[in-house]
Amino acid sequence: MQTELEADFTLDLRGESCPYPVIYTLETLDGMNNGELLQVITDCPGSFRNVPEEAIAHGYKFAQDPVKNGQEYLFHIYA
Amino acid sequence: MKKMIQPIFQRYWNPYLVLLIAGILSAVYFGLTSTVWAVTGEFTRLGGDLLLLFGVDISGWQYFDMVHLQGATWNRPDGWIVWGMFAGALIMVLLSNSFKIRLPQQKRRYVQGLVGGIIAGFGARLALGCNLAAFFTGVPQFSFHSWIFIMATGIGTFFGAKLTKTRWWKGKPSLIRGNAKPTQLKKRVIQPYVGGTIAVLYIGLTIYFFASGQKLLGLGALFGLAFGILIERGQICFTSAFRDLFLVGRSIMAKAIIIGMAVSSILTIIVISIYDLTPITQIAALSTFVGGILFGLGIVMASGCETGMMYRLMEGQLLFLPVFAGNIIGATFLAYAWDHLGVYNVLVKSGAKINLLDTLGPIGAISVTLLMLGGLYALTVYGEKRYHRKLTIKRGMNVHAN
């Protein structure tokens, strides 16, 4: 069991299909203060790959590796 | 054993490898059956089947004659391509324990899915194919209409991408302060057993087709299964190939699709030469261009194209039920509009079937095709770099502001 990180904000994107997970994630990160922590919960399989890859491509860093939670993924990303 | 199984069933596969295999398989399928991997023709026939079911007299509708509406979906090879794709996707979803009912939190997605599906279905049939027969499997057939369609789809997708970023369209996500709880995990894992059972039954059915001499149905079922497995495990999304390039400078899907088409083109021209087959050519006309734009716009509105919606539905993304319904509605309406509303006369009649093999010869055709695919690849790389250059400049401005 991972130590639970204390996120400043959580995006609950369960049920949302592509491209909205990646759009919402990048827009939310863009609006947050530097160093704040965003938790993203998504169950869209397409976003399991493109959200982390695009967050990194846009210069953001992960607080920990993506966590697979059954049919969901959890991402913890620093703004 | 577990270490071998895990990469195959638990992880998504590399899109380049997936589309390479899909390109090879579609060339092989053409060699074996003289037909291409396609789905919207069957969607149109399903629309015709539904009209018949409701007692509508569709005799004399030229479009249904053109797509050879005869027999029932389970008696048609193209029908088994479609059902095989559904089956293949579902089997892989279950084997990887990935099935989950996924309902959009925002109701507007259902309307967007239905309307987008209608537009995409109408556009695809107007152009006589979607991302497959007018794109991924159309290019390797050297049908010039595919290149018109690709360009038009790119244009339609560009405007669709603009639309998805508007506030009224995309809506607001659920954003809360602090942590939120992920879904509680179920102890029992039964999906893989269900997936395995369905796989055995489906393979049994395929064997029955071959054993009873219904070779074309068997091939449709077998290749449909393979295509369904590939697109689900690769999360292959033709919509995102253009859309995500515009939205976030993401190019991996576009590059993989281009490489798949290049390999498929080379194999297909070999197959055509060896077996002296006739390539499948569709009319290049204003309808191809208009259809491509509508298709490109519609698939972005709907969040997925014809093939994408099929495997996503199998994943439990119920948004794609209205998308699927929309596609059938759009295709069926086009079938009606073709002669009853004068679409054929206005947009199609003046066109012509142009095949590069006929106009340029085999060497010319494959050379020009590979050159154009190379050009498309270069455009993709440029688009990605341009996006990230803009991003760098924007970030630089933010740094100065702080």
Side-chain angles (χ1 to χ4, degrees), chain B residues 54 57 69 99 125 211 221 249 268 293 328:
Chain B
F54 290 130
D57 177 14
L69 177 58
F99 182 84
R125 292 318 300 165
T268 300
I293 291 184
I328 301 291

Side-chain angles (χ1 to χ4, degrees), chain B residues 198-254:
Chain B
I198 295 175
V200 170
L201 291 174
Y202 188 85
I203 289 168
L205 176 66
T206 305
I207 291 173
Y208 162 76
F209 282 144
F210 284 114
S212 59
Q214 303 176 94
K215 181 190 171 192
L216 288 182
L217 295 188
L219 287 172
L222 186 62
F223 278 81
L225 178 76
F227 290 133
I229 290 171
L230 287 169
I231 60 175
E232 199 281 325
R233 277 296 96 183
Q235 288 290 302
I236 301 307
C237 182
F238 288 84
T239 307
S240 71
F242 283 115
R243 179 198 69 202
D244 289 359
L245 189 60
F246 298 134
L247 282 180
V248 294
R250 183 174 177 79
S251 65
I252 182 172
M253 194 58 58

Side-chain angles (χ1 to χ4, degrees), chain B residues 26-332:
Chain B
S26 60
V28 171
Y29 185 66
F30 172 69
L32 291 169
T33 66
S34 298
T35 190
V36 296
W37 176 24
V39 297
T40 56
E42 185 62 15
F43 291 166
T44 311
R45 289 178 209 107
L46 287 175
D49 290 339
L50 285 173
L51 291 179
L52 287 170
L53 194 64
F54 290 130
V56 179
D57 177 14
I58 59 172
S59 59
W61 289 35
Q62 287 173 28
Y63 203 86
F64 286 126
D65 288 341
M66 193 175 63
V67 299
H68 311 300
L69 177 58
Q70 47 200 238
T73 185
W74 53 84
N75 290 332
R76 303 191 285 248
D78 277 353
W80 280 105
I81 285 284
V82 169
W83 305 121
M85 285 172 69
F86 278 125
L90 179 61
I91 288 165
M92 290 311 282
V93 168
L94 292 171
L95 288 178
S96 61
N97 194 36
S98 297
F99 182 84
K100 179 197 179 194
I101 296 290
R102 296 155 160 106
L103 297 168
Q105 294 176 29
Q106 304 182 73
K107 301 312 174 195
R108 75 188 73 191
R109 298 282 181 251
Y110 294 109
V111 179
Q112 293 168 355
L114 180 67
V115 174
I118 291 173
I119 294 173
F122 184 92
R125 292 318 300 165
L126 178 59
L128 301 172
C130 62
N131 50 293
L132 293 179
F135 197 135
F136 190 77
T137 59
V139 164
Q141 292 293 315
F142 307 99
S143 180
F144 183 66
H145 93 298
S146 296
W147 286 104
I148 300 174
F149 187 82
I150 289 175
M151 177 178 58
T153 298
I155 294 171
T157 305
F158 175 79
F159 288 106
K162 292 283 190 184
L163 182 64
T164 58
K165 293 211 87 173
T166 60
R167 197 186 311 270
W168 68 275
W169 181 273
K170 76 189 170 195
K172 282 184 178 178
S174 166
L175 176 65
I176 64 174
R177 281 198 166 273
N179 282 350
K181 289 195 171 172
T183 307
Q184 201 75 10
L185 281 181
K186 289 169 185 168
K187 297 281 174 64
R188 280 187 320 133
V189 175
I190 64 170
Q191 291 187 23
Y193 301 102
V194 178
T197 303
I198 295 175
V200 170
L201 291 174
Y202 188 85
I203 289 168
L205 176 66
T206 305
I207 291 173
Y208 162 76
F209 282 144
F210 284 114
S212 59
Q214 303 176 94
K215 181 190 171 192
L216 288 182
L217 295 188
L219 287 172
L222 186 62
F223 278 81
L225 178 76
F227 290 133
I229 290 171
L230 287 169
I231 60 175
E232 199 281 325
R233 277 296 96 183
Q235 288 290 302
I236 301 307
C237 182
F238 288 84
T239 307
S240 71
F242 283 115
R243 179 198 69 202
D244 289 359
L245 189 60
F246 298 134
L247 282 180
V248 294
R250 183 174 177 79
S251 65
I252 182 172
M253 194 58 58
K255 288 170 171 172
I257 288 168
I258 292 166
I259 289 172
M261 285 196 285
V263 171
S264 194
S265 297
I266 294 170
L267 281 181
T268 300
I269 200 165
I270 292 172
V271 165
I272 287 174
S273 300
I274 292 178
Y275 297 103
D276 195 29
L277 297 178
T278 304
I280 293 171
T281 316
Q282 301 292 0
I283 295 176
L286 193 55
S287 55
T288 315
F289 188 77
V290 173
I293 291 184
L294 291 175
F295 177 76
L297 176 66
I299 58 179
V300 175
M301 292 169 70
S303 288
C305 64
E306 273 72 354
T307 49
M309 74 180 178
M310 291 172 75
Y311 72 80
R312 292 193 172 94
L313 206 45
M314 296 299 101
E315 289 167 348
Q317 298 190 52
L318 295 197
L319 165 66
F320 294 95
L321 276 178
V323 173
F324 191 74
N327 271 275
I328 301 291
I329 292 169
T332 305

